[in-house]
Amino acid sequence: MLEDVITAYNEAVFDTDRERALKVIHDAVDRGVSPEDVVFKVVIPAIEQMIKSISESFDANLAQHFMTSQIAAEVTEEMLARFRKAPEVVGHIVIGTAQGDLHSLGKRIVIGCLKSLMIDVTDLGVNVPPEKFVDEAVARNAQVIGISAMMVHTARGENGCIMVRELLRKRGLEDRIKIIVGGAPYRYDLELYKTVGADASADDGITAGRVIAGLIKEVRR
Ligand code: B12
């Protein structure tokens, strides 16, 4: 049954047909597919596949990029609300997209995965100034700051992770708060996270959950 759902959803998303995509998902849930399976086995693989084909297509345009990510974000958010409740929280992360960067879909998917892995998340949104990452992490007693950056200049830039590291250092918070970064530029340059002063990076939400759980343990040790 899941195979049929995957095929029908992929076709609807490819046609940027929001209504049809939502109907496929709602019907699947009514027939017993879990919200977790919808996100991890249908939506995440579909968006990854779609993005790959969009990037490779000469006909790709920003409107199509935008619609594709909006459908996925909408389904993901709806399903997240139906995820099983976490009995015990592993720790807390504040996460946002770096200053100057408005890409939100990757971050949203990461948040969905983290919630399902029982990590408490505060979403700071997009275009987040470095000071806000640090202030909010302190205010919420978070063990980890997550920074998403989809463009090369926001991943490498002075107002992203580099400044967050600098602020943690100046305020003597480096033992209490760890930094994880993610986004396409870090996938293409595997050493970049170190260059910008992060403690770790992860390629997707599921790996991020594992790495963040490790960072939380490190802080609590
Ligand atoms: C969708 C999209 C958009 C949408 C964004 C919609 C939204 N709400 O997010 C719209 C149309 C708005 C957009 C706008 C722009 N975009 Co754009 N966009 C894309 C596109 C096609 C996909 C990005 C995406 O959503 N990927 C899908 C998600 C699921 O993947 P992901 O983000 O990588 O996330 C995964 C991992 O990276 C990781 N992850 C992500 N964040 C984090 C955070 C942490 C802490 C961790 C651990 C892991 C992690 O886990 C995620 C889940 O698996 C990419 C091309 C591409 N192939 O990547 C271009 C791309 C990123 N955009 C690009 C550009 C240039 C722009 C614009 C400047 C275009 C313009 N001229 O206006 C603007 C920028 C506006 C701004 N200031 O930010 C360029 C960047 C070039 C560069 N090298 O710097 C790209 C690469 C396209 C290209 N090939 O030129 N874009």
Side-chain angles (χ1 to χ4, degrees):
M1 178 168 71
L2 202 54
E3 284 307 313
D4 297 341
V5 176
I6 291 168
T7 307
Y9 179 79
N10 284 355
E11 284 171 4
V13 166
F14 187 81
D15 293 341
T16 64
D17 188 337
R18 174 184 170 275
E19 300 298 324
R20 182 148 55 96
L22 293 180
K23 186 170 182 331
V24 169
I25 295 304
H26 291 151
D27 287 351
V29 172
D30 288 347
R31 281 185 289 140
V33 176
S34 73
E36 287 85 349
D37 274 359
V38 167
V39 173
F40 298 126
K41 296 185 180 163
V42 182
V43 175
I44 294 179
I47 183 69
E48 282 167 354
Q49 182 53 42
M50 267 307 293
I51 294 306
K52 190 165 174 280
S53 51
I54 285 174
S55 316
E56 286 165 0
S57 159
F58 290 115
D59 298 329
N61 60 53
L62 284 177
Q64 191 180 22
H65 293 175
F66 187 71
M67 273 306 291
T68 306
S69 50
Q70 290 304 305
I71 293 169
E74 190 174 347
V75 173
T76 302
E77 268 173 17
E78 190 188 326
M79 290 300 116
L80 288 180
R82 302 195 200 179
F83 270 27
R84 287 186 301 272
K85 282 276 168 281
E88 199 183 324
V89 169
V90 174
H92 194 108
I93 173 169
V94 295
I95 187 168
T97 306
Q99 190 162 42
D101 200 322
L102 303 177
H103 293 87
S104 61
L105 182 57
K107 171 179 66 74
R108 286 200 208 186
I109 289 175
V110 171
I111 289 172
C113 296
L114 298 184
K115 285 186 175 169
S116 79
L117 296 168
M118 299 176 200
I119 295 170
D120 206 9
V121 187
T122 300
D123 183 2
L124 304 178
V126 296
N127 192 22
V128 180
E131 295 77 14
K132 186 166 178 183
F133 277 110
V134 177
D135 291 346
E136 291 287 335
V138 171
R140 292 165 195 277
N141 211 10
Q143 296 87 9
V144 183
I145 290 173
I147 307 173
S148 182
M150 282 304 299
M151 297 186 289
V152 171
H153 68 278
T154 54
R156 288 182 172 276
E158 290 292 325
N159 286 327
C161 185
I162 291 177
M163 182 56 78
V164 174
R165 166 60 65 203
E166 182 63 11
L167 292 171
L168 289 183
R169 195 185 57 75
K170 277 193 186 149
R171 297 191 200 172
L173 293 168
E174 288 180 297
D175 290 342
R176 275 178 48 196
I177 301 173
K178 300 290 172 192
I179 308 172
I180 183 166
V181 289
Y186 300 104
R187 279 206 305 263
Y188 295 119
D189 178 350
L190 297 179
E191 295 297 307
L192 181 57
Y193 80 93
K194 291 183 198 159
T195 313
V196 297
D199 296 292
S201 133
D203 283 356
D204 57 67
I206 293 156
T207 314
R210 259 200 316 271
V211 176
I212 289 165
L215 292 175
I216 290 169
K217 266 195 200 142
E218 236 177 81
V219 170
R220 289 194 163 152
R221 214 175 276 146

